[in-house]
Amino acid sequence: MNGLISKIQKFSTRDGPGIRSTVFAVGCPLSCKWCANPELILAGEKIFRHKDRCTGCGRCAAFTELEARAAACFHDAYERVGVTLSARELAEKLLRDQAFYEQSGGGVTYSGGEAALQANFFLETTGILKQEQIHVALDTCGHLPWENLSPLVQAVDLVLFDVKAMDSNLHKQYTGAGNELILENAKKIADTGKEMIARLIIVPGVNDSDEDIEGRLEFVRSLGILQVDLLGYHRLGAGKYAALGLQDPMASTPECPCETLRRAAKKAANMGLAAFIGG
């Protein structure tokens, strides 16, 4: 079974317990306007064009296709995003850091994009990792049919579940889809007894109102989830839009103030939830 990923981020400490390797899968059923990884939204390989690396040598001008230009460039002005690996190849790369997982209580986290879009690939990878008793987590947006999401949820040890907005119209405006299926899947995962951590992105002027934050926290509490990660919107992915030749839909949106995150954390604590800023 082969899968398409963009990269493996080693020594991550924000995608589950301990030291982890986070696998970023290509492809997502949502198109969040605040996404810091726009190259992972659509399926297939992508090519970044870094204008700041271009020396103007003109070598690529002889080619019309982007892939040919990328191959001709000597200055890394083009960067290919996406590599196809077999489940065995991915597992072998992840197992190179097994000692760090064991010493820290960490493991592997599937992220993206949306890893569950390639559920069979990650199921096979998980089976190999489980032979070595590696802790595996899935970070999911939850916007998939339950029959596609359920097998991978059952196979992993922990689910990091994104709750982006409680108002379905607002959710659709900024992610491309309503939240009905997402909330339904969150309830189904909770009913399985699988360990879950809720993740709340907070974007200024979008979902940072007291009403929305409190609504999401109340929903999380209703599921029996005890921990929530509060993720502030940031501008670290802004350059990727330019490199892909896309307009950044949130270009005028400021980063989330620390005070907003602290306010949300206080609300969570008042509800009996353990809140962590930044995951």
Side-chain angles (χ1 to χ4, degrees), residues 39-54:
E39 75 279 12
L40 304 185
I41 294 177
L42 296 178
E45 295 183 1
K46 318 290 188 313
I47 295 179
F48 283 138
R49 181 171 183 265
H50 302 286
K51 294 182 179 180
D52 58 320
R53 300 179 187 175
C54 180

Side-chain angles (χ1 to χ4, degrees), residues 83-243:
V83 58
T84 299
L85 297 174
S86 70
R88 172 63 64 179
E89 289 172 326
L90 175 58
E92 288 176 351
K93 289 179 180 292
L94 296 169
L95 287 171
R96 293 172 187 171
D97 292 320
Q98 183 172 359
F100 295 103
Y101 311 150
E102 294 174 347
Q103 293 170 11
S104 67
V108 170
T109 298
Y110 304 143
S111 185
E114 173 58 61
L117 284 180
Q118 303 180 65
N120 290 335
F121 168 68
F122 283 105
L123 273 171
E124 186 174 342
T125 304
T126 302
I128 299 171
L129 295 176
K130 281 303 171 185
Q131 293 176 12
E132 300 295 329
Q133 299 182 326
I134 303 300
H135 183 278
V136 180
L138 168 67
D139 185 357
T140 180
C141 72
H143 190 67
L144 300 97
W146 177 243
E147 57 268 26
N148 296 346
L149 181 60
S150 176
L152 188 55
V153 165
Q154 294 177 31
V156 302
D157 302 289
L158 169 67
V159 175
L160 308 175
F161 198 93
D162 301 330
V163 185
K164 303 177 188 296
M166 285 306 294
D167 182 281
S168 186
N169 291 329
L170 179 70
H171 196 283
K172 185 174 183 178
Q173 179 183 350
Y174 283 93
T175 74
N179 63 3
E180 289 82 5
L181 177 61
I182 293 169
L183 301 184
E184 179 182 335
N185 282 336
K187 294 175 183 177
K188 289 181 178 179
I189 296 173
D191 287 343
T192 69
K194 181 68 63 176
E195 182 181 1
M196 295 177 68
I197 295 175
R199 312 196 98 183
L200 275 60
I201 177 73
I202 300 180
V203 185
V206 178
N207 59 2
D208 61 339
S209 68
D210 287 339
E211 180 182 7
D212 193 275
I213 292 173
E214 291 170 3
R216 285 189 280 168
L217 292 173
E218 287 285 4
F219 175 74
V220 168
R221 184 171 65 170
S222 74
L223 299 178
I225 298 175
L226 301 178
Q227 179 179 329
V228 58
D229 293 343
L230 303 171
L231 312 176
Y233 169 72
H234 58 70
R235 301 285 304 152
L236 297 179
K240 294 183 177 182
Y241 288 89

Side-chain angles (χ1 to χ4, degrees), residues 18-34:
I19 295 174
R20 312 188 69 80
S21 292
T22 301
V23 182
F24 288 88
V26 177
C28 186
L30 298 179
S31 53
C32 302
K33 292 184 178 182
W34 55 71

Side-chain angles (χ1 to χ4, degrees), residues 47-55 60 69-70 73-79 243:
I47 295 179
F48 283 138
R49 181 171 183 265
H50 302 286
K51 294 182 179 180
D52 58 320
R53 300 179 187 175
C54 180
T55 63
C60 69
R69 289 188 172 191
C73 182
F74 287 159
H75 305 285
D76 296 324
Y78 298 88
E79 177 187 356

